[in-house]
Amino acid sequence: MRIAGFEFSEGARFQAGASADAQAVGEHLELLRQQQHGELTPEDVLNDAANPNSPLHSFFEWSDTEAARQYRLSQARGLIRAVVAVYVQDDKPAVRAKAYVHINEPGAPHYRETGHAMSQKKTRDLVLQRAWREFQQWKARYRDLKEFSELFTVAEEVERKLLKKQ
């Protein structure tokens, strides 16, 4: 099998000013992989991208101050996502669940306590839409693995039921 071309994956997000030329990026990454005897590492990519003439250069923040800030924001997002709340009710076993969910409201993305977010129609719809998109992306990423075919069949049944409700 050979590669016929390159595109960016659906929903891929890059920093402002990053090149939109997926073909050039893919070809350059393939060249780097070949130069590294078939293996490509993030270190290889970063080293190459440090050259301002590299087609990969625009995908990185080169201000160390801003890069450090962005990295710390990424760490903060990871910390928020890592927290699990233990919910209790009388006469029921404790339930563990994500403490916070991401609400991607236009112009004001933020996190909310999961129970609160799911109790409000607007935020519940946003959370469920995001979950469905992420599941569809996961399904597309692994659709060629026959080991998951039964799961995909069940997912298609659920999708049909959801569409009927709408």
Side-chain angles (χ1 to χ4, degrees), residues 91-120:
D91 301 326
K92 292 187 178 180
V95 176
R96 294 171 40 106
K98 287 175 59 170
Y100 306 100
V101 291
H102 186 256
I103 308 297
N104 195 18
E105 288 184 309
H110 59 280
Y111 291 84
R112 285 206 189 156
E113 187 270 327
T114 301
H116 180 261
M118 297 307 285
S119 71
Q120 307 292 316

Side-chain angles (χ1 to χ4, degrees), residues 87-95:
Y87 295 93
V88 293
Q89 288 183 338
D90 293 338
D91 301 326
K92 292 187 178 180
V95 176

Side-chain angles (χ1 to χ4, degrees), residues 1-153:
M1 194 179 310
R2 67 177 183 78
I3 297 173
F6 296 95
E7 300 173 348
F8 289 126
S9 62
E10 187 177 326
R13 293 180 286 176
F14 306 110
Q15 71 173 22
S19 168
D21 190 350
Q23 186 64 32
V25 169
E27 288 173 2
H28 196 75
L29 289 173
E30 186 60 15
L31 176 66
L32 288 176
R33 184 190 66 80
Q34 290 170 5
Q35 289 172 350
Q36 299 299 322
H37 311 289
E39 297 177 358
L40 184 63
T41 68
E43 190 76 24
D44 298 332
V45 172
L46 187 59
N47 288 339
D48 182 85
N51 179 343
N53 295 322
S54 169
L56 309 179
H57 186 78
S58 65
F59 289 88
F60 295 88
E61 175 58 60
W62 296 105
S63 159
D64 287 346
T65 301
E66 181 58 23
R69 181 179 175 284
Q70 287 180 18
Y71 181 71
R72 289 185 187 104
L73 286 171
S74 176
Q75 288 178 308
R77 286 188 288 273
L79 177 61
I80 292 168
R81 287 189 308 265
V83 175
V84 172
V86 179
Y87 295 93
V88 293
Q89 288 183 338
D90 293 338
D91 301 326
K92 292 187 178 180
V95 176
R96 294 171 40 106
K98 287 175 59 170
Y100 306 100
V101 291
H102 186 256
I103 308 297
N104 195 18
E105 288 184 309
H110 59 280
Y111 291 84
R112 285 206 189 156
E113 187 270 327
T114 301
H116 180 261
M118 297 307 285
S119 71
Q120 307 292 316
K121 180 174 178 12
K122 180 182 176 184
T123 53
R124 179 183 182 83
D125 288 348
L126 289 170
V127 169
L128 293 176
Q129 287 168 6
R130 178 180 179 167
W132 187 252
R133 268 192 320 275
E134 289 174 3
F135 177 70
Q136 295 292 19
Q137 290 167 348
W138 182 87
K139 204 169 83 171
R141 190 174 321 130
Y142 297 108
R143 71 176 164 253
D144 297 328
L145 300 179
K146 65 181 180 182
E147 289 81 359
F148 291 124
S149 62
E150 290 179 41
L151 176 61
F152 295 148
T153 301

